[in-house]
Amino acid sequence: MSKNWKIETQAIQGGYDPKPGDPRVVTICQSTTFKYDSADYVAKLFDLEVAGHFYTRLGNPTTDAFEKKIAMMEGGVAALGTSSGQAATTLSIFNICQAGQHFITASTLYGGTYNLFAATLPKMGIEVTFVDPEAPADEILKAFRHNTRAVFAETIGNPGLNVLDFEKFSAIAKEKKVPLIIDSTFATPYLCRPFDFGANIIVHSTTKYIDGHATSVGGVIVDGGNFNWDNGNFPELTEPDTSYHGLQYVKTFGPAAYIIKARVQLMRDLGVSPGPMNSFMFNQGLQTLPLRMQRHSDNALAVAKHLEAHPAVSWVSYPGLPSHPSFERAKKYLPKGCSGVLTFGIKGGAPAGKIFMESCQLIALVVHVGDARSCVLHPASTTHRQLSEEQQISSGVTPDLIRLSVGIEHIDDIIEDIDQALAKSQQP
Ligand SMILES: *Cc1c(COP(=O)(O)O)cnc(C)c1O
């Protein structure tokens, strides 16, 4: 497999290299366990002295092919599949942050991530400071403490669709010698490769565009292999792990220390592993990811332009529009397109929004984004309803906001459906 392949080729051919007589297609290895002849060999597997599969919670050939492919597409050293995007985010933090420690996050987050960070992690003794990602660097730097372990942000903030200033965030993380963890679910490796802009760890909810067909819930963590864990601040990666006979991750695994620790320690203990069937679906989804992301982006831009000129619409937010505050940044970090999600404000507020959603016929009312099929959602009454109004506003949700996840159907049919539903929403 060539490192120089373009991402379209990696998406098709990466991660699996069949030998003569092997199946052409990655097989669904639906087996919990793997057979060996020698007890000594199995002991070596357990001690991580040899690589191989022995139990699907810790690794599986189907998941392995998916992990290798996405690591290649992101330009990282290795990846770890998880049972959901939430699991990926949780492990990405737990791997380097424990009770009594702290991390910093951009406040513009997916609602589930916001709850995890604002409610659940503090109960476990992990403290978090939310910062406005548009604040100047010196203000964000003030949020750091002696025990700050990481900086977290999304490539495209959900649902404000603000594009991250990677340069600013990676410089801040570098100055403070902590890793920059990026949730790149909305961008996918086709539209943006965060490691190229200074990120150290990437997480994805593979449930969205990577699956792309709304069949499976899953997540993945990708390790850039580009952070110096040996800077004195991360003893859990440099000092002996007593749960592994004194294994030292950095010494033994070099640039893959973080992701191997996440697998052999956290996945072993917390067990949020993906099923082989789901890994097969994600691997299949990756094959067409470049084609789909281009179409999602092209369709979303066309819808955004159409809505911006529509009398029933008070505002449109899409980073591909010159009116969006992230427009210039999107040209730099998302040159191929800005993904399929856009938001707009409907005239008549929440009641008109309800009529609009219920009047859509091709566009389905579902709690999802990143499906090949177009879908629509009112975040204030669904994904963000557990947040207070203040928290909603701080994560970019207003009552009139409608979120569209533009699919890959023909653009004319999508726009026709929007127009008829908008017309109904404005009737007295
Ligand atoms: C959906 C989503 C998640 C959570 O992923 P699940 O697979 O639903 O657990 C995290 N981040 C973003 C940006 C998402 O859209």
Side-chain angles (χ1 to χ4, degrees):
M1 273 181 255
S2 163
K3 281 221 160 205
N4 298 324
W5 280 345
K6 302 278 186 292
I7 199 161
E8 290 82 353
T9 308
Q10 294 173 342
I12 302 285
Q13 301 270 359
Y16 175 64
D17 193 9
K19 303 285 173 292
D22 282 352
R24 184 71 190 97
V25 175
V26 170
T27 52
I28 305 167
C29 183
Q30 197 72 37
S31 181
T32 57
T33 194
F34 301 84
K35 180 180 171 296
Y36 293 98
D37 290 336
S38 134
D40 288 345
Y41 191 81
V42 175
K44 280 186 182 159
L45 282 168
F46 269 91
D47 286 346
L48 310 176
E49 283 170 22
V50 292
H53 299 292
F54 53 99
Y55 192 54
T56 283
R57 170 158 31 87
L58 284 162
N60 170 283
T62 312
T63 303
D64 194 52
F66 165 67
E67 290 166 342
K68 285 200 166 77
K69 186 191 281 187
I70 186 136
M72 186 185 224
M73 291 170 74
E74 286 287 20
V77 290
L80 174 66
T82 60
S83 56
S84 67
Q86 287 299 104
T89 304
T90 305
L91 293 197
S92 77
I93 297 290
F94 275 1
N95 206 31
I96 46 169
C97 206
Q98 60 184 41
Q101 296 181 330
H102 169 257
F103 69 99
I104 290 169
T105 181
S107 61
T108 47
L109 292 172
Y110 170 71
T113 309
Y114 196 98
N115 282 329
L116 171 68
F117 290 177
T120 298
L121 291 187
K123 282 184 202 156
M124 298 173 165
I126 297 175
E127 290 186 58
V128 55
T129 303
F130 292 86
V131 297
D132 175 358
E134 299 306 323
D138 54 351
E139 213 166 284
I140 297 174
L141 282 165
K142 281 188 205 141
F144 278 81
R145 304 177 188 170
H146 72 279
N147 58 352
T148 301
R149 311 286 292 175
V151 177
F152 188 98
E154 296 179 355
T155 301
I156 304 176
N158 183 353
L161 308 177
N162 53 298
V163 178
L164 188 73
D165 186 342
F166 277 100
E167 220 161 274
K168 180 176 73 181
F169 267 74
S170 66
I172 289 170
K174 213 173 222 169
E175 179 178 337
K176 292 294 185 178
K177 297 196 171 77
V178 299
L180 175 60
I181 306 175
I182 294 294
D183 180 339
S184 209
T185 299
F186 275 30
T188 80
Y190 174 72
L191 296 177
C192 178
R193 297 204 328 165
F195 295 145
D196 294 345
F197 304 114
N200 305 108
I201 305 295
I202 296 171
V203 296
H204 289 283
S205 166
T206 54
T207 316
K208 312 294 166 50
Y209 290 107
I210 289 175
D211 172 320
H213 303 77
T215 69
S216 314
V217 173
V220 70
I221 309 172
V222 190
D223 187 342
N226 58 354
F227 185 79
N228 175 25
W229 302 106
D230 205 4
N231 64 13
N233 291 330
F234 294 91
E236 64 270 53
L237 283 147
T238 53
E239 300 298 311
D241 179 350
T242 51
S243 75
Y244 263 113
H245 316 302
L247 177 71
Q248 289 164 283
Y249 294 100
V250 169
K251 195 168 152 198
T252 311
F253 302 112
Y258 173 96
I259 201 74
I260 290 181
K261 175 177 174 292
R263 180 188 299 276
V264 304
Q265 190 188 69
L266 292 182
M267 192 58 87
R268 177 194 65 186
D269 297 351
L270 299 177
V272 283
S273 54
M277 179 69 202
N278 284 7
S279 296
F280 175 83
M281 299 306 284
F282 300 137
N283 195 52
Q284 190 83 352
L286 282 182
Q287 293 190 23
T288 54
L289 185 77
L291 288 171
R292 286 185 289 107
M293 290 317 291
Q294 195 60 61
R295 177 70 164 255
H296 278 293
S297 301
D298 295 348
N299 277 358
L301 181 60
V303 169
K305 286 180 175 162
H306 180 77
L307 287 173
E308 208 166 43
H310 199 289
V313 172
S314 36
W315 55 268
V316 184
S317 170
Y318 184 66
L321 289 178
S323 59
H324 193 282
S326 292
F327 179 67
E328 288 302 324
R329 223 179 267 154
K331 282 202 280 193
K332 179 171 171 189
Y333 297 122
L334 302 161
K336 293 185 236 178
C338 296
S339 196
V341 179
L342 63 89
T343 59
F344 67 96
I346 191 162
K347 285 191 184 155
K354 185 162 180 281
I355 299 172
F356 172 79
M357 286 190 294
E358 290 174 355
S359 304
C360 286
Q361 284 161 7
L362 175 135
I363 303 171
L365 171 51
V366 295
V367 184
H368 194 50
V369 300
D371 188 357
R373 287 154 284 228
S374 292
C375 42
V376 62
L377 186 76
H378 184 229
S381 63
T382 54
T383 48
H384 286 62
R385 68 177 292 122
Q386 276 108 17
L387 309 185
S388 71
E389 203 173 313
E390 204 171 87
Q391 286 172 324
Q392 285 187 359
I393 303 279
S394 115
S395 49
V397 174
T398 52
D400 66 338
L401 184 151
I402 291 185
R403 187 180 73 188
L404 278 179
S405 171
V406 180
I408 58 175
E409 302 95 342
H410 196 286
I411 186 63
D412 294 352
D413 296 325
I414 298 172
I415 286 182
E416 188 180 307
D417 196 39
I418 289 172
D419 281 351
Q420 63 81 23
L422 276 176
K424 290 201 179 102
S425 77
Q426 302 298 304
Q427 278 162 13

